[in-house]
Amino acid sequence: MDKTLIAMSGGVDSAVAAFLIKKAGDDACGITLKLINDGMDGFSPSCCTQKDISDAQAIAKKLDMPHYLYNFCENFKECVIDKFVNTYLYGGTPNPCIDCNRYVKFHEVLNKADELGFSHVATGHYAICEYDRKLSRYLLKKAVDDSKDQSYVLYSLTQKQLSKIKFPLGKLTKAEVREIASVNGFINAEKKESQDICFIKDGNYATFIEKYIGKKSSAGDFVDTKGNILGKHKGHIHYTIGQRKGLGLSVPQSVYVLNKDIDKNIVTVDTKEHLFKDKLFVTDVNLISCDEITDGMEVFVRTRYKQKETPAKLYKADSGTVCVKFDVPVKAITPGQAAVFYDNDIVVGGGTIL
């Protein structure tokens, strides 16, 4: 019988994950990480509220299992929020969910599992973890429910971590999960999912960043690819690669953000065809299904969370980076986002786009 520590956010997914782990006969215990203090730095988060904590505790009580609550607000601030802000300030577009999973959630829960004597950790993520005897490796695979698959944000998991992780929801649909919660009378069976960035309730990233650093973003010029000035921007943090709406420009054709030059404080925009690129470079690469990349390795690559994968080939580059060459050009490749490599439903690995 496994001893399994279950990460519980207060939402329906982690509640059903806990139910399934208990049903499987594990010696189970719940754990909730408080990641954001109420009113922290003057903003209102959409998760880690007292209601979320109470819901997690109520589900643990209903399932007759112990529950721990730990405060990791400082870790979250340093590893996720500060990195989020700095990435925007330096011209990138970060993915805080990936950083949270990598540096806080799995890192801290697995540490607590070791400390408390648990052999495994379970979460409510929609993904599949399986051991492949031929490869002698743990594999991370896409969830059965394509609309909920979270393998993209889990690419940074290591073999050591995967050997201790369970994803009970990987082979279920969201509808089936809600049905299990409803049948078992869970208080969060119909609870809405948290959307967008959990620590920015209204989704206004630029306002949040300006408030966080105590400084307004400096206005500058919009230019086209020929260097012509088209108008004034509000500050580069208000824009991301591929953005079309909210530019406030009076031009004859629709234009999109192509690039941001932080030193010159200019934002380059132009028509849609300029958005497509046939290669990118990634750093901080983590591999799951193999030990190393061989030049010309064929994969499918996703450069955004819900984006369809594109066939590509991988090549080793300088200083541990990897060059991804696409079979067909890809739209709006964005520094700071992740490029995740797939072999059909298996996650090969991934890295951060430079």
Side-chain angles (χ1 to χ4, degrees):
M1 179 174 64
D2 292 335
K3 289 192 67 176
T4 303
L5 189 62
I6 306 152
M8 302 180 70
S9 65
V12 64
D13 293 332
S14 58
V16 172
F19 169 80
L20 294 173
I21 290 295
K22 280 279 291 185
K23 186 179 179 182
D26 287 18
D27 180 1
C29 175
I31 182 173
T32 298
L33 306 185
K34 184 167 179 60
L35 303 177
I36 306 171
N37 284 321
D38 297 332
M40 176 181 170
D41 293 304
F43 64 93
S44 178
S46 61
C47 74
C48 296
T49 64
Q50 188 54 51
K51 176 68 164 61
D52 294 323
I53 294 169
S54 298
D55 286 350
Q57 291 169 333
I59 295 297
K61 184 176 181 180
K62 185 177 182 66
L63 294 176
D64 191 28
M65 66 182 191
H67 178 273
Y68 295 102
L69 173 65
Y70 290 98
N71 188 313
F72 285 103
C73 293
E74 282 304 312
N75 307 57
F76 186 79
K77 179 181 181 298
E78 179 182 344
C79 298
V80 181
I81 300 178
D82 287 351
K83 185 177 178 183
F84 173 88
V85 170
N86 288 330
T87 301
Y88 257 112
L89 291 176
Y90 285 99
T93 302
N95 192 317
C97 293
I98 289 174
D99 290 331
C100 183
N101 284 326
R102 185 171 196 171
Y103 300 113
V104 184
K105 286 182 180 177
F106 285 98
H107 178 74
E108 298 299 350
V109 173
L110 284 163
N111 282 347
K112 282 296 175 185
D114 287 340
E115 182 183 311
L116 298 168
F118 288 87
S119 59
H120 290 80
V121 161
T123 76
H125 286 93
Y126 287 82
I128 296 171
C129 176
E130 293 178 344
Y131 184 72
D132 187 299
R133 294 188 181 280
K134 285 186 178 180
L135 297 174
S136 297
R137 300 183 76 87
Y138 286 89
L139 298 181
L140 176 66
K141 299 182 178 181
K142 294 180 185 177
V144 167
D145 188 340
D146 285 339
S147 68
K148 296 301 299 177
D149 172 53
Q150 291 174 294
S151 60
Y152 175 86
V153 297
L154 299 173
Y155 81 86
S156 64
L157 291 171
T158 66
Q159 285 294 303
K160 183 178 179 181
Q161 290 174 324
L162 287 168
S163 71
K164 298 181 178 182
I165 292 172
K166 298 183 179 185
F167 296 126
L169 308 187
K171 296 182 179 180
L172 298 175
T173 65
K174 182 71 177 194
E176 290 171 330
V177 168
R178 287 206 183 276
E179 178 65 17
I180 292 171
S182 180
V183 167
N184 286 278
F186 290 175
I187 59 172
N188 53 11
E190 298 303 321
K191 190 173 183 177
K192 291 183 179 180
E193 298 180 56
S194 58
Q195 299 294 325
D196 225 345
I197 308 303
C198 68
F199 54 88
I200 305 176
K201 196 169 187 177
D202 61 3
N204 192 328
Y205 308 150
T207 298
F208 168 81
I209 292 168
E210 289 175 338
K211 193 171 186 178
Y212 193 78
I213 64 174
K215 182 181 177 181
K216 293 288 286 184
S217 184
S218 299
D221 291 328
F222 277 120
V223 301
D224 62 18
T225 49
K226 295 179 180 178
N228 299 310
I229 297 176
L230 304 179
K232 287 288 184 181
H233 66 69
K234 298 182 293 184
H236 68 81
I237 63 170
H238 290 264
Y239 313 97
T240 189
I241 307 301
Q243 181 176 334
R244 179 176 65 87
K245 296 181 179 179
L247 302 182
L249 290 171
S250 180
V251 289
Q253 300 182 69
S254 293
V255 293
Y256 299 76
V257 175
L258 304 181
N259 186 42
K260 299 191 291 182
D261 187 322
I262 309 308
D263 293 333
K264 296 180 180 178
N265 195 23
I266 61 174
V267 175
T268 302
V269 299
D270 218 313
T271 49
K272 189 174 183 178
E273 62 267 22
H274 294 278
L275 270 181
F276 291 84
K277 306 291 182 184
D278 61 4
K279 70 177 179 180
L280 60 81
F281 290 85
V282 291
T283 187
D284 198 16
V285 176
N286 180 64
L287 298 175
I288 295 177
S289 67
C290 59
D291 285 321
E292 62 178 352
I293 286 170
T294 55
D295 283 344
M297 184 175 182
E298 296 183 350
V299 293
F300 292 87
V301 180
R302 191 185 300 177
T303 57
R304 300 224 178 187
Y305 182 24
K306 293 296 184 182
Q307 184 189 60
K308 184 179 179 181
E309 292 112 45
T310 302
K313 294 180 179 66
L314 305 181
Y315 297 88
K316 296 177 183 177
D318 296 335
S319 304
T321 61
V322 171
C323 177
V324 180
K325 293 186 178 180
F326 294 99
D327 290 4
V328 293
V330 172
K331 180 182 175 183
I333 293 171
T334 307
Q337 290 288 297
V340 179
F341 321 139
Y342 289 86
D343 177 4
N344 294 315
D345 66 335
I346 296 171
V347 177
V348 175
T352 304
I353 299 172
L354 289 169

